[in-house]
Amino acid sequence: MIVKIEFTYEEDTVYIRCPAKVGRNIRQLQRDFDTWLYDRKNNHPYWTSFGVEEDGTECWGVSFNEEAFIYWLNNVRFNKGKNVASLIKDSKVLPKKTINF
């Protein structure tokens, strides 16, 4: 199944290929990814420090793109050793679903 991914602040549209079973649940998977992404207990490379508060506490945010979502699908959510999602640059097939970040 082809899924279209659109980012609010980027003009490029990207597509991922995944099994239909994954694609049917892509919106729930996106919500699960968001929960994982913003959980400070998770050590992933998408954390970005954007300053220190007056009390010395470091402030963190996330910076990610479609590769982070694909990484999460393949290595965190479905970590059985087989990739379930891959990036495709140009889809000749109309996407069945669209998600927005």
Side-chain angles (χ1 to χ4, degrees):
M1 175 183 284
I2 305 299
V3 177
K4 180 179 176 181
I5 300 178
E6 298 179 329
F7 286 88
T8 303
Y9 299 107
E10 294 184 22
E11 294 179 19
D12 293 339
T13 297
V14 295
Y15 301 90
I16 63 170
R17 176 176 286 126
C18 59
K21 181 178 179 180
V22 173
R24 280 192 298 270
N25 298 315
I26 201 71
R27 289 186 183 92
Q28 179 60 49
L29 290 167
Q30 180 186 14
R31 287 188 291 272
D32 294 347
F33 167 73
D34 284 342
T35 300
W36 172 82
L37 185 68
Y38 289 96
D39 185 347
R40 273 300 289 145
K41 295 175 192 159
N42 293 322
N43 185 20
H44 56 67
Y46 311 109
W47 289 112
T48 302
S49 173
F50 62 89
V52 178
E53 292 186 11
E54 290 178 11
D55 66 357
T57 305
E58 194 164 10
C59 299
W60 293 92
V62 295
S63 177
F64 69 99
N65 59 16
E66 67 279 354
E67 291 175 6
F69 186 55
I70 293 169
Y71 169 84
W72 178 82
L73 287 170
N74 290 334
N75 299 293
V76 178
R77 179 62 177 86
F78 300 102
N79 59 357
K80 304 275 192 233
K82 181 181 175 191
N83 288 347
V84 298
S86 60
L87 180 66
I88 54 176
K89 290 293 179 189
D90 212 7
S91 178
K92 308 234 184 306
V93 178
L94 289 175
K96 298 263 186 193
K97 301 257 181 143
T98 299
I99 57 175
N100 298 287
F101 284 101

